[in-house]
Amino acid sequence: MDVAFVVDKTSSVGVTDFLLLKGFLLQLIDALHIGPGATHTGIITFNKKPKVLSTFANHALYSNDAVHQFVAKIPVVLGDRTFIDRALMAAANQLFTEEGGDRPKYPNVLIILTDGRTNHDSKPFSEIIPLLKAKNVHIVAVGIGAYEDFEGQLEEIAGRMFTMQATLMSCRICLMKFWLKLAVLMVDFLAGASGLTAA
C-alpha cells in the first residue's frame, strides 16, 4: 500500500489528545509491513497550513523502525486554525502523484487523524474529496478526543463506515476496529482490480 498519514496539529486537539494521536499512529506504523517492495508511507501535519514531512518517495523511510523514529520525533507544538481542506489538497497534489512516489499498482489509503473542527473558511469537502477519489484513494477518518460535535465532517470526508474514534481508554480496541475497516478497503480494491463486483 501507499499510505498517507494526515495529522492534525492544532490547539483545538490539545496536548493530551495529540499525544494519544501519536501513540495510536505509532502502534499503527508498527503493525504495518513497511519496506521497499511493501508499504510506503507519506506524512502531512497541518493547522492553518499543511506541512509535507515526507512523501512516498523518501527512501530513508522504507522500514518500520525508520518511520517509527521519524513520527516519534514530531514535536508537540500545536498551531491555530484548522484547515482540513488544505491538508487533503496537499495529499492529492504532493503525495498521490508520480513525483510524490505514488505507485499505480498499489492500493492508495489516506488516514486522517483529527478532532474534525475545520475552519469555517475551508473549501467544501465536496470539492476536494472527488480529487482524491479520482486517484483511487481510500480514506479513513480517525476522530481524536471530543470530536462528536463535528462527527458529520469526518463522515463527509470518509463516509460513516470508515469514521472511527480513538480515546485514551480504547486505543487497542480502536486499532482492531481500524484493521477491520482497512481489510474491507483491501477486499474492495482487490475485487475491483480483478474485475469482480460484490454480490
Side-chain angles (χ1 to χ4, degrees), residues 30-65:
D30 290 343
L32 291 171
H33 177 207
I34 299 172
T39 295
H40 292 179
T41 62
I43 303 169
I44 295 174
T45 59
F46 70 94
N47 39 61
K48 183 179 180 180
K49 295 181 179 181
K51 184 175 182 180
V52 179
L53 302 183
S54 178
T55 70
F56 303 131
N58 187 349
H59 294 258
L61 296 182
Y62 283 179
S63 72
N64 288 73
D65 184 61

Side-chain angles (χ1 to χ4, degrees), residues 6-151:
V6 181
V7 180
D8 192 334
K9 283 195 69 180
T10 53
S11 55
S12 63
V13 173
V15 172
T16 298
D17 282 331
F18 183 75
L19 291 174
L20 165 66
L21 181 158
K22 279 186 66 175
F24 174 80
L25 185 53
L26 289 171
Q27 288 186 51
L28 180 55
I29 288 166
D30 290 343
L32 291 171
H33 177 207
I34 299 172
T39 295
H40 292 179
T41 62
I43 303 169
I44 295 174
T45 59
F46 70 94
N47 39 61
K48 183 179 180 180
K49 295 181 179 181
K51 184 175 182 180
V52 179
L53 302 183
S54 178
T55 70
F56 303 131
N58 187 349
H59 294 258
L61 296 182
Y62 283 179
S63 72
N64 288 73
D65 184 61
V67 179
H68 184 110
Q69 291 187 39
F70 186 86
V71 171
K73 293 177 181 178
I74 295 176
V76 186
V77 178
L78 306 179
D80 61 351
R81 304 178 68 188
T82 306
F83 282 88
I84 296 175
D85 60 323
R86 296 174 183 177
L88 295 175
M89 283 294 295
N93 294 333
Q94 299 183 55
L95 292 187
F96 294 105
T97 63
E98 183 178 353
E99 295 77 14
D102 185 40
R103 298 170 294 175
K105 294 184 179 180
Y106 286 75
N108 290 331
V109 178
L110 183 151
I111 303 166
I112 181 166
L113 301 101
T114 178
D115 64 357
R117 305 180 186 190
T118 197
N119 190 276
H120 59 82
D121 289 329
S122 297
K123 291 182 179 179
F125 293 133
S126 60
E127 296 181 10
I128 299 169
I129 300 304
L131 301 177
L132 290 163
K133 294 296 185 182
K135 298 185 176 190
N136 297 315
V137 178
H138 301 283
I139 304 172
V140 177
V142 180
I144 301 296
Y147 81 103
E148 290 87 349
D149 292 342
F150 304 88
E151 187 173 4

